[in-house]
Amino acid sequence: MARLLLALSLSLLCGTALSAVPVWGARQSSPANTPVTQLKPGEWIWGGDNRAGPLAVVVSLTEQRAVVYRNGLPIGVTTVSTGRKGYETPTGVFTILQKDKDHRSSVYNAAPMPYMQRLTWDGVALHAGGLPGYPESHGCVHLPSEFARLLFDASNMGMVVVVSQEGRSPEDVTHPGALIPINPNTGAEAAIPPLEPGQKYRWHPELSTEGPVSILLSAADGEVIVFRNGIEIGRSRVLIRTPDQPLGTRAYIVKDGFIAGDNPLLPGTRMPNWSTIGIPGSGPDAGRLLGPETIDRVVIPHDFVAAVLPLLTPGVVMLVTDANVRPETTGGAPVQVLDSDPPQS
């Protein structure tokens, strides 16, 4: 009986301690088409994660935001709060050294640090924490609680985290957008140049010879970009027929089978089935197949299509946006384009 009472007492004490942990930030994702500049402190967007390809995080001290990339494309963005004056968050390239879901500070009165992911051994980490809209931490990167949980579940030991700041970091890393600005394996700046004037496409599959493939198509920029294992291996100019009709922010995944009829992009071949996958704010579209009438609106050089077509195996994700994604057209403002979970079979 004494042991039972002791066990019950410990259980109650643990329950009290757990319930005392605050919940910071919004409990649900904002819609995927929310401009990131309009996210209020504590708000975030998470489009899901098909866990294909390397994961990397870019934290901008200047913007007080963080962008999470999977296989070269952003799957989430959040407001953050970083180190205040005297406790500034260091800039640079870090990797996750330790993960602890229920961590408490060994320095600041056992303060809760849920979903802690350690960046340095002297106390800098990603974790759930206060989000007043300005730097107020003791050096850590504070995240909304639910976003911190999602990132914790998706990440792995050794994941690259780049912390950037105006004047100390490259422009595209300080203002991260729809194209990953770093090598997700090393954290080094990607520095991939745009297409030359008159150049229709670029194709260098040797830059990344294996791994999952993802695709980003920007109607505004008139470009489609192909990533393999988080590294850009090709891009091409595209022409959108009836440009006055928006394509919208959509995510698609290659399913088994082929679209009926001839491939509109390359006559004489077959186009795999593309199924719409849900992102926050567009759930009703999930599961709809992409029809040839939509594919026919996109004009891409035949040689580029022929090169990419063999890579379109089940599981390949494509993100489509009407927004600009090239750094020279975004004016330094991040653009939100999201990956998502494939529909349940």
Side-chain angles (χ1 to χ4, degrees):
M1 179 61 72
R3 290 182 179 177
L4 177 60
L5 289 174
L6 177 60
L8 287 172
S9 298
L10 289 173
S11 177
L12 288 171
L13 286 172
C14 289
T16 301
L18 287 174
S19 64
V21 176
V23 175
W24 293 281
R27 295 174 183 267
Q28 294 183 337
S29 173
S30 296
N33 59 359
T34 304
V36 293
T37 54
Q38 294 182 15
L39 291 176
K40 299 175 183 177
E43 293 183 338
W44 49 276
I45 304 170
W46 184 267
D49 184 9
N50 65 5
R51 299 181 181 273
L55 192 72
V57 179
V58 177
V59 178
S60 173
L61 303 182
T62 304
E63 295 185 345
Q64 289 293 284
R65 277 193 291 269
V67 182
V68 181
Y69 296 89
R70 173 74 81 182
N71 203 31
L73 303 177
I75 64 169
V77 63
T78 184
T79 53
V80 302
S81 180
T82 56
R84 65 177 185 251
K85 188 174 181 180
Y87 297 90
E88 289 85 356
T89 303
T91 59
V93 179
F94 306 89
T95 57
I96 300 300
L97 304 173
Q98 179 189 34
K99 297 179 62 169
D100 185 355
K101 176 183 175 183
D102 301 309
H103 189 74
R104 285 183 176 268
S105 174
S106 59
V107 178
Y108 300 107
N109 301 317
M113 301 168 62
Y115 304 108
M116 186 277 293
Q117 302 193 67
R118 187 180 296 279
L119 302 181
T120 71
W121 289 115
D122 59 357
V124 179
L126 305 172
H127 65 84
L131 297 150
Y134 51 85
E136 62 84 43
S137 80
H138 286 90
C140 290
V141 178
H142 285 182
L143 306 169
S145 295
E146 180 60 12
F147 189 94
R149 182 189 70 80
L150 291 165
L151 179 60
F152 187 94
D153 290 346
S155 67
N156 57 280
M157 297 288 290
M159 177 187 71
V160 169
V161 178
V162 174
V163 180
S164 62
Q165 187 174 29
E166 196 81 62
R168 297 185 179 182
S169 311
E171 184 72 10
D172 56 347
V173 181
T174 304
H175 305 286
L179 298 179
I180 188 169
I182 62 169
N183 182 312
N185 302 305
T186 66
E189 185 188 7
I192 298 176
L195 293 172
E196 298 288 340
Q199 185 181 14
K200 292 184 177 180
Y201 67 89
R202 179 172 62 221
W203 184 246
H204 293 292
E206 71 279 1
L207 296 178
S208 182
T209 57
E210 58 184 14
V213 173
S214 58
I215 301 171
L216 173 64
L217 189 154
S218 166
D221 289 334
E223 286 189 354
V224 60
I225 303 168
V226 181
F227 299 88
R228 183 157 58 190
N229 211 38
I231 305 297
E232 180 179 325
I233 61 172
R235 70 169 64 194
S236 172
R237 300 188 191 279
V238 300
L239 173 69
I240 307 298
R241 295 191 175 103
T242 59
D244 55 314
Q245 300 176 20
L247 294 173
T249 298
R250 295 287 186 272
Y252 303 94
I253 187 168
V254 174
K255 305 289 286 184
D256 290 325
F258 296 89
I259 292 174
D262 208 25
N263 183 352
L265 298 181
L266 186 62
T269 65
R270 302 186 72 186
M271 172 63 76
N273 272 325
W274 289 94
S275 176
T276 307
I277 48 182
I279 54 178
S282 64
D285 291 335
R288 294 180 183 174
L289 293 179
L290 184 62
E293 68 283 353
T294 302
I295 298 174
D296 192 46
R297 291 184 57 197
V298 181
V299 180
I300 307 177
H302 286 179
D303 289 349
F304 189 80
V305 176
V308 175
L309 208 53
L311 305 183
L312 301 185
T313 56
V316 170
V317 169
M318 175 174 64
L319 288 93
V320 177
T321 178
D322 295 310
N324 300 110
V325 298
R326 284 186 283 135
E328 62 268 32
T329 59
T330 59
V335 177
Q336 185 55 55
V337 184
L338 294 172
D339 192 352
S340 185
D341 290 311
Q344 296 295 319
S345 58

